[in-house]
mmCIF file of all heavy atoms in Angstrom:
data_model
loop_
_atom_site.group_PDB
_atom_site.id
_atom_site.type_symbol
_atom_site.label_atom_id
_atom_site.label_comp_id
_atom_site.label_asym_id
_atom_site.label_seq_id
_atom_site.Cartn_x
_atom_site.Cartn_y
_atom_site.Cartn_z
ATOM 1 N N ALA B 160 26.215 65.449 89.891
ATOM 2 C CA ALA B 160 26.086 66.813 90.575
ATOM 3 C C ALA B 160 27.578 67.233 90.919
ATOM 4 O O ALA B 160 28.022 68.408 90.956
ATOM 5 C CB ALA B 160 25.314 66.546 91.896
ATOM 6 N N ASP B 161 28.548 66.229 91.112
ATOM 7 C CA ASP B 161 29.831 66.581 91.528
ATOM 8 C C ASP B 161 30.626 67.019 90.340
ATOM 9 O O ASP B 161 31.543 67.746 90.383
ATOM 10 C CB ASP B 161 30.568 65.293 92.112
ATOM 11 C CG ASP B 161 30.019 65.035 93.533
ATOM 12 O OD1 ASP B 161 29.425 66.072 94.169
ATOM 13 O OD2 ASP B 161 30.243 63.940 94.080
ATOM 14 N N GLU B 162 30.250 66.540 89.101
ATOM 15 C CA GLU B 162 31.208 66.716 88.058
ATOM 16 C C GLU B 162 30.683 67.487 86.758
ATOM 17 O O GLU B 162 31.488 68.117 86.135
ATOM 18 C CB GLU B 162 31.435 65.203 87.476
ATOM 19 C CG GLU B 162 32.860 65.114 86.666
ATOM 20 C CD GLU B 162 33.170 63.825 86.361
ATOM 21 O OE1 GLU B 162 33.140 62.892 87.256
ATOM 22 O OE2 GLU B 162 33.359 63.530 85.198
ATOM 23 N N ILE B 163 29.421 67.355 86.479
ATOM 24 C CA ILE B 163 28.897 67.850 85.263
ATOM 25 C C ILE B 163 28.443 69.295 85.345
ATOM 26 O O ILE B 163 27.738 69.688 86.401
ATOM 27 C CB ILE B 163 27.789 66.986 84.642
ATOM 28 C CG1 ILE B 163 28.256 65.595 84.484
ATOM 29 C CG2 ILE B 163 27.170 67.582 83.433
ATOM 30 C CD1 ILE B 163 29.395 65.483 83.465
ATOM 31 N N ARG B 164 28.967 70.214 84.566
ATOM 32 C CA ARG B 164 28.697 71.635 84.688
ATOM 33 C C ARG B 164 27.486 72.261 83.688
ATOM 34 O O ARG B 164 27.082 73.320 83.928
ATOM 35 C CB ARG B 164 29.991 72.454 84.468
ATOM 36 C CG ARG B 164 31.065 72.196 85.574
ATOM 37 C CD ARG B 164 30.517 72.636 86.763
ATOM 38 N NE ARG B 164 31.162 72.000 87.955
ATOM 39 C CZ ARG B 164 30.523 71.197 88.816
ATOM 40 N NH1 ARG B 164 29.202 70.985 88.630
ATOM 41 N NH2 ARG B 164 31.128 70.648 89.838
ATOM 42 N N ILE B 165 27.238 71.355 82.664
ATOM 43 C CA ILE B 165 26.066 71.827 81.940
ATOM 44 C C ILE B 165 24.776 71.519 82.660
ATOM 45 O O ILE B 165 24.806 70.688 83.550
ATOM 46 C CB ILE B 165 26.019 71.192 80.465
ATOM 47 C CG1 ILE B 165 25.970 69.670 80.509
ATOM 48 C CG2 ILE B 165 27.264 71.780 79.608
ATOM 49 C CD1 ILE B 165 25.837 69.016 79.297
ATOM 50 N N PRO B 166 23.718 72.233 82.268
ATOM 51 C CA PRO B 166 22.388 71.894 82.975
ATOM 52 C C PRO B 166 21.898 70.433 82.872
ATOM 53 O O PRO B 166 22.245 69.711 81.688
ATOM 54 C CB PRO B 166 21.305 72.726 82.301
ATOM 55 C CG PRO B 166 22.210 73.806 81.681
ATOM 56 C CD PRO B 166 23.500 73.221 81.316
ATOM 57 N N TRP B 167 21.509 69.903 83.886
ATOM 58 C CA TRP B 167 21.091 68.446 83.845
ATOM 59 C C TRP B 167 19.896 68.250 84.734
ATOM 60 O O TRP B 167 19.624 69.042 85.661
ATOM 61 C CB TRP B 167 22.204 67.462 84.333
ATOM 62 C CG TRP B 167 22.793 67.880 85.750
ATOM 63 C CD1 TRP B 167 23.747 68.771 86.106
ATOM 64 C CD2 TRP B 167 22.334 67.219 86.904
ATOM 65 N NE1 TRP B 167 23.994 68.780 87.428
ATOM 66 C CE2 TRP B 167 23.145 67.800 88.002
ATOM 67 C CE3 TRP B 167 21.377 66.193 87.276
ATOM 68 C CZ2 TRP B 167 23.007 67.498 89.322
ATOM 69 C CZ3 TRP B 167 21.229 65.883 88.668
ATOM 70 C CH2 TRP B 167 22.021 66.450 89.633
ATOM 71 N N VAL B 168 19.055 67.228 84.379
ATOM 72 C CA VAL B 168 17.863 67.062 85.021
ATOM 73 C C VAL B 168 17.653 65.542 85.451
ATOM 74 O O VAL B 168 17.844 64.806 84.504
ATOM 75 C CB VAL B 168 16.631 67.553 84.097
ATOM 76 C CG1 VAL B 168 16.615 66.966 82.671
ATOM 77 C CG2 VAL B 168 15.299 67.381 84.738
ATOM 78 N N ALA B 169 17.242 65.402 86.481
ATOM 79 C CA ALA B 169 17.066 63.984 87.028
ATOM 80 C C ALA B 169 15.682 63.421 86.565
ATOM 81 O O ALA B 169 14.764 64.206 86.549
ATOM 82 C CB ALA B 169 17.163 63.921 88.537
ATOM 83 N N ILE B 170 15.728 62.166 86.086
ATOM 84 C CA ILE B 170 14.408 61.667 85.431
ATOM 85 C C ILE B 170 14.293 60.187 85.785
ATOM 86 O O ILE B 170 15.290 59.565 86.072
ATOM 87 C CB ILE B 170 14.508 61.909 83.854
ATOM 88 C CG1 ILE B 170 13.141 61.387 83.363
ATOM 89 C CG2 ILE B 170 15.842 61.310 83.337
ATOM 90 C CD1 ILE B 170 13.101 61.548 81.847
ATOM 91 N N GLY B 171 13.064 59.780 85.743
ATOM 92 C CA GLY B 171 12.928 58.319 86.063
ATOM 93 C C GLY B 171 12.189 57.883 87.296
ATOM 94 O O GLY B 171 12.824 57.867 88.287
ATOM 95 N N GLY B 172 10.935 57.803 87.207
ATOM 96 C CA GLY B 172 10.186 57.266 88.389
ATOM 97 C C GLY B 172 10.119 58.280 89.530
ATOM 98 O O GLY B 172 9.826 58.009 90.636
#
Side-chain angles (χ1 to χ4, degrees):
Chain B
D161 286 344
E162 202 179 307
I163 300 300
R164 293 293 153 252
I165 59 172
W167 57 276
V168 55
I170 180 173

